[in-house]
């Protein structure tokens, strides 16, 4: 299953339904939705003369063009379309909305079309951003509100639940399946989202979502989880290509901003890393740092061979071949230059911030069976040493404080005091308290450090002592994998993950038939480490290996988190706590 094919199907269909030269009119959200699955050249091949934003201040009047409008059915967009229709720029408007359109908004649109320029209105269900083949995002304007109590900012929290509901409803409609809904019980945001989605699909729009059943096959599952149940994964340093770029440089809807690098060429100031458009990235996006270095060297070597061949122009035939292959040669040059630039910057940051030493300590704290004093002394040595940024120091102490939340309170306090004495800002240090207050052990249901039961502690000890660990920097396995294994084996506890389709039973884990399709939605954001793990599960499923055999997994969330964005959300929560809880 490739989610990009779903969105591409809708975009292809709307562009083919409107023949001739046209303009594609988008809003801020659909611009992201389209840009992650289409390149600009692919759009132009569909007889699209222009791609414009509906909210642009001024556009030229081109009445000979037809407008294909791909928009979210929001109140703001309906108002903009009404203004557009009063003073039109194009000769015809074909409306395609990413989701259900409320009758009242359709009426508003009809009343605003006094010149009868709207040719058609359709609903195409693509109200989500595709990040990877089995990874999607429903972005929120204020991502932190779903991590804090609703009472702190009720209006924005309610808007966030509405947006998440719309996005998930669109996904289920595009997949044409009736889903069972389960959610993490101790999470206010998860419960409200589950209730909202369930009401929409079974009461408000029951007929729209009734796709029937497929014999004795278990209903597919939407599992709604809370990011706060696993705060460790977004805080860890990453060492696979895609996740590393996102963590150290930044990756926003497949785009990497490299303009801050001194001396970078203009052509490489912004790079696109798309698994659809970049074969090298598609092949190596989950490769580790060492393997990427070797792969980039091979890429450069291959390009050098092409360069040597282009210098051998001795005949008319050679000239003809050169001209015919020039575009491919230029593309290879840009691609090699792009990955060399990115890899050089990653290497520079790893050395400048001594990240290999930091990462080794992180993995030791998070993945070992536990040794409070040894870890305390090692972390203290690192945070008082040279080379680490203040953010790296605080992040390391965050992981330590989560790992030793109860028995290591004194050591955590001492680490914070020592860092304050070295000049680390008090606001940054305060994020440790915010983290423990909102993501501490009492707030979680999962076995985050595999130490809640005897069997999990034994498994951790066994793993720690086994020889042949693939990579000391990538030992960590996201908590999500434990949860999905429970789903696959029919052991997910009803009391911790109740279903909206039946009452909660305070009994042992229910042993039911495993669903063949599971959509996991993490309120508060996913990570690229989790996306890689889900991709590997789907590969195992296709090979009929392990507990994932026969099950397809799709991962989504409100954002894709890295340590910077997660700490920013914590900072926003800390600010709101002072404003709303007094």
């Amino acid at each position: 299953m490739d989610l990009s094919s779903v969105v591409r199907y809708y975009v292809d269909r709307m562009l083919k339904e409107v023949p001739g030269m046209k303009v594609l009119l988008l809003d801020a959200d659909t611009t992201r939705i389209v840009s992650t699955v289409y390149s600009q050249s692919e759009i132009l091949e569909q007889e699209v003369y222009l791609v414009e934003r509906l909210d642009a201040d001024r556009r030229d009047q081109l009445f000979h063009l037809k407008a294909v409008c791909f928009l979210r059915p929001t109140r703001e967009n309906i108002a903009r379309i009404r203004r557009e229709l009063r003073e039109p720029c194009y000769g015809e408007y074909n409306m395609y909305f990413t989701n259900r359109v409320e009758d009242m908004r359709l009426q508003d649109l009809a009343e605003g079309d006094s010149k009868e320029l709207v040719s058609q209105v359709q609903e195409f269900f693509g109200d989500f951003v595709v990040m990877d083949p089995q990874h999607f995002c429903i972005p929120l304007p204020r991502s932190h509100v779903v991590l804090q109590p609703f009472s702190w900012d009720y209006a924005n929290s309610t808007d966030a639940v509405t947006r998440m509901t719309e996005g998930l409803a669109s996904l289920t409609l595009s997949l044409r399946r009736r889903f069972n809904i389960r959610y993490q019980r101790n999470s206010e945001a998860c419960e409200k989202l589950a209730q909202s989605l369930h009401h929409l699909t079974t009461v408000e729009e029951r007929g729209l979502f009734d796709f029937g059943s497929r014999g004795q096959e278990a209903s597919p599952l939407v599992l709604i989880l809370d990011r706060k149940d696993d705060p460790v994964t977004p805080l860890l340093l990453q060492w696979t290509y895609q996740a590393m770029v996102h963590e150290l440089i930044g990756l926003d809807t497949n785009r990497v901003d490299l303009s801050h690098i001194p001396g970078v060429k203009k052509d490489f100031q912004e790079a696109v890393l798309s698994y659809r458009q970049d074969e090298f990235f598609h092949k190596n996006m989950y490769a580790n740092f060492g393997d990427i270095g070797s792969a980039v060297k091979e890429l450069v070597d291959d390009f050098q061979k092409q360069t040597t061949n282009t210098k051998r122009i001795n005949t008319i035939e050679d000239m003809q071949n050169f001209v015919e292959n020039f575009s491919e040669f230029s593309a290879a040059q840009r691609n090699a230059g792009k990955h060399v630039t990115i890899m050089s910057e990653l290497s520079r940051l790893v050395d400048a911030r001594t990240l290999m030493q930091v990462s080794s300590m992180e993995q030791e704290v998070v993945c070992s069976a536990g040794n409070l004093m040894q870890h305390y002394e090692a972390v203290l040595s690192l945070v008082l040493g040279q080379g680490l940024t203040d953010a790296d120091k605080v992040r390391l102490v965050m992981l330590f404080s989560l790992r030793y939340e109860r028995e290591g309170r004194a050591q955590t306090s001492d680490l914070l005091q020592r860092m304050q004495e070295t000049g680390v800002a008090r606001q940054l240090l305060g994020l440790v308290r915010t983290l423990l207050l909102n993501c501490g052990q009492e707030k979680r249901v999962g076995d985050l450090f595999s130490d809640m039961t005897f069997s999990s502690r034994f498994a951790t000890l066994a793993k720690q002592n086994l020889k042949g660990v693939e990579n000391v920097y990538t030992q960590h396995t996201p908590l999500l994998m434990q949860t999905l294994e429970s789903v696959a084996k029919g052991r997910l506890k009803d009391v911790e993950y109740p279903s909206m389709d039946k009452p909660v039973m305070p009994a042992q884990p229910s042993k039911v038939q495993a669903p063949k399709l599971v959509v996991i939605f993490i309120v508060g954001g996913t990570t690229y480490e989790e996306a890689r793990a889900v991709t590997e599960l789907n590969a195992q499923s296709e090979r009929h290996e392990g507990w994932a055999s026969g099950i397809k997994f799709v991962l989504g969330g409100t954002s894709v988190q890295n340590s910077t964005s997660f700490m920013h959300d914590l900072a926003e929560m800390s600010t709101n706590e002072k404003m709303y809880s007094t």
Side-chain angles (χ1 to χ4, degrees):
M1 177 184 294
D2 186 344
L3 291 178
S4 67
S5 63
V6 175
V7 178
R8 285 177 66 90
Y9 167 77
Y10 287 137
V11 177
D12 281 343
R13 184 174 158 189
M14 69 178 74
L15 293 178
K16 288 176 181 177
E17 283 183 353
V18 182
M21 296 300 290
K22 46 194 164 280
V23 58
L24 180 60
L25 201 56
L26 306 172
D27 61 31
D29 291 310
T30 54
T31 298
R32 296 184 68 183
I33 291 170
V34 172
S35 66
T36 56
V37 298
Y38 264 104
S39 67
Q40 188 173 8
S41 59
E42 287 177 316
I43 289 288
L44 295 177
E45 288 172 0
Q46 301 273 12
E47 294 186 292
V48 175
Y49 177 73
L50 282 174
V51 178
E52 294 277 14
R53 284 278 292 270
L54 178 63
D55 55 355
D57 292 335
R58 186 176 299 177
R59 282 180 274 111
D60 295 332
Q61 289 185 328
L62 302 167
F63 295 117
H64 62 289
L65 293 180
K66 302 174 183 178
V68 176
C69 308
F70 186 44
L71 308 167
R72 294 199 63 245
T74 63
R75 182 173 56 253
E76 294 79 10
N77 279 342
I78 297 297
R80 291 187 183 111
I81 281 291
R82 283 172 60 96
R83 289 195 294 270
E84 174 81 16
L85 294 173
R86 283 198 298 269
E87 299 180 9
C89 293
Y90 313 108
E92 177 184 302
Y93 289 80
N94 299 270
M95 310 302 301
Y96 296 90
F97 291 104
T98 63
N99 217 318
R100 302 168 306 107
V101 188
E102 296 177 3
D103 291 342
M104 185 178 298
R105 292 179 183 171
L106 278 176
Q107 183 177 342
D108 287 344
L109 179 61
E111 291 174 354
D113 186 25
S114 58
K115 299 178 182 180
E116 298 185 351
L117 294 174
V118 176
S119 175
Q120 59 177 320
V121 178
Q122 295 196 50
E123 297 170 337
F124 280 5
F125 301 108
D127 205 4
F128 49 89
V129 180
V130 179
M131 312 307 294
D132 297 320
Q134 295 96 31
H135 184 201
F136 70 96
C137 176
I138 302 173
L140 302 176
R142 299 173 183 83
S143 58
H144 64 279
V145 297
V146 294
L147 297 173
Q148 66 189 27
F150 268 53
S151 59
W152 289 5
D153 192 352
Y154 186 81
N156 285 321
S157 297
T158 303
D159 288 345
V161 169
T162 300
R163 177 68 187 99
M164 291 186 290
T165 302
E166 291 169 349
L168 282 173
S170 172
L171 179 71
T172 60
L173 286 168
S174 69
L175 297 176
R176 302 186 62 81
R177 300 295 299 276
R178 168 76 170 86
F179 282 76
N180 183 21
I181 302 167
R182 298 182 71 172
Y183 65 94
Q184 189 175 311
R185 185 172 180 79
N186 69 330
S187 168
E188 182 181 19
C190 289
E191 183 173 5
K192 288 185 179 295
L193 174 56
Q195 291 171 346
S196 175
L197 184 61
H198 184 259
H199 182 268
L200 174 66
T201 57
T202 61
V203 179
E204 187 177 340
E205 295 282 359
R206 181 183 180 88
L208 183 62
F209 290 87
D210 187 9
F211 295 108
S213 59
R214 300 190 180 185
Q216 299 300 314
E217 182 179 313
S219 296
L221 174 66
V222 171
L223 179 62
I224 304 173
L225 306 176
D226 196 317
R227 177 76 274 162
K228 297 194 297 292
D229 206 46
D230 178 9
V232 165
T233 301
L235 288 172
L236 287 172
L237 285 170
Q238 300 299 319
W239 294 97
T240 54
Y241 194 26
Q242 182 187 44
M244 200 174 179
V245 170
H246 183 50
E247 172 65 29
L248 299 183
I249 303 176
L251 182 61
D252 183 14
T253 53
N254 296 341
R255 282 167 170 76
V256 186
D257 183 5
L258 302 170
S259 60
H260 62 281
I261 301 176
V264 67
K265 294 182 179 180
K266 187 176 181 179
D267 291 346
F268 301 136
Q269 289 184 355
E270 183 181 79
V272 176
L273 291 181
S274 168
Y275 73 95
R276 291 193 63 91
Q277 302 167 26
D278 187 336
E279 183 179 350
F280 177 85
F281 180 68
H282 189 188
K283 182 180 178 181
N284 295 284
M285 58 195 291
Y286 299 133
N288 64 45
F289 186 48
D291 292 338
I292 282 294
S294 301
V296 169
K297 184 179 182 304
E298 290 180 11
L299 182 68
V300 172
D301 290 343
D302 290 342
F303 174 69
Q304 286 179 334
K305 292 177 183 177
Q306 293 183 44
T307 304
T308 302
N309 291 334
T310 59
K311 292 179 180 178
R312 299 172 183 168
I313 301 178
N314 301 315
T315 66
I316 297 296
E317 185 178 355
D318 290 340
M319 282 194 259
Q320 183 179 0
N321 290 333
F322 173 76
V323 171
E324 289 176 350
N325 297 319
F326 181 74
S327 60
E328 294 181 8
F329 175 78
S330 298
Q333 181 183 30
R334 289 193 299 272
N335 201 44
K338 172 179 70 177
H339 289 290
V340 167
T341 302
I342 292 173
M343 195 64 187
S344 298
E345 179 63 5
L346 291 177
S347 299
R348 185 190 70 80
L349 291 170
V350 168
D351 292 339
R353 292 167 52 182
T354 61
L355 293 182
M356 299 192 82
Q357 187 178 5
V358 175
S359 181
S360 177
M361 188 69 252
E362 289 177 359
Q363 296 286 328
E364 174 68 19
V365 169
V366 170
C367 300
S368 72
N371 190 324
L372 172 60
M373 291 311 299
Q374 180 181 332
H375 288 165
Y376 160 71
E377 291 171 0
V379 170
L380 179 63
S381 176
L382 276 175
V383 299
L384 295 182
Q386 300 295 319
L388 272 67
T389 65
D390 287 351
D392 285 336
K393 293 176 183 178
V394 172
R395 192 168 47 76
L396 187 54
V397 173
M398 283 180 167
L399 293 168
F400 177 87
S401 68
L402 286 168
R403 181 67 179 84
Y404 298 107
E405 182 176 351
R406 292 181 177 175
E407 66 271 38
R409 292 176 182 174
Q411 288 77 9
T412 297
S413 297
D414 184 63
L415 288 168
L416 293 173
Q417 179 64 36
R418 302 286 283 273
M419 284 197 296
Q420 185 175 346
E421 291 171 357
T422 63
V424 179
R426 184 172 296 182
Q427 287 182 328
L428 197 55
L429 295 173
L431 298 184
V432 177
R433 173 190 170 277
T434 304
L435 175 73
L436 294 175
L437 185 66
N438 293 279
C439 309
Q441 191 167 342
E442 292 184 358
K443 302 285 186 178
R444 305 193 303 263
V445 298
D447 190 359
L448 184 57
F449 296 105
S450 299
D451 60 358
M452 292 176 65
T453 65
F454 174 78
S455 59
S456 62
R457 289 194 297 270
F458 179 80
T460 300
L461 283 167
K463 182 179 178 181
Q464 186 180 4
N465 290 294
L466 280 175
K467 295 182 179 180
V469 175
E470 182 180 352
N471 192 325
V472 70
Y473 304 108
T474 57
Q475 299 176 64
H476 176 256
T477 300
L479 177 66
L480 177 63
M481 293 301 101
Q482 293 182 28
T483 307
L484 295 186
E485 184 174 1
S486 296
V487 171
K489 294 181 177 179
R491 297 175 182 173
L492 199 64
K493 296 181 181 179
D494 287 332
V495 292
E496 293 178 353
Y497 302 92
S499 171
M500 293 300 300
D501 291 334
K502 63 180 181 180
V504 176
M505 300 296 291
Q508 295 297 317
S510 58
K511 294 185 178 180
V512 297
Q513 184 181 357
K516 298 300 181 184
L517 173 61
V518 180
V519 174
I520 312 104
F521 187 78
I522 303 181
V523 176
T526 61
T527 66
Y528 281 121
E529 182 184 355
E530 289 161 334
R532 177 176 62 87
V534 167
T535 299
E536 291 175 351
L537 273 187
N538 284 321
Q540 292 175 17
S541 175
E542 291 180 1
R543 297 192 300 266
H544 300 285
E545 296 175 358
W547 51 261
S549 177
I551 306 176
K552 295 179 181 177
F553 298 94
V554 177
L555 176 66
T558 51
S559 63
V560 183
Q561 295 275 21
N562 57 17
S563 65
T564 301
S565 63
F566 188 59
M567 290 171 71
H568 178 266
D569 284 347
L570 290 174
E572 292 290 332
M573 293 165 63
S574 179
T575 301
N576 287 350
E577 180 187 7
K578 296 171 184 175
M579 292 175 58
Y580 297 108
S581 63
T582 56

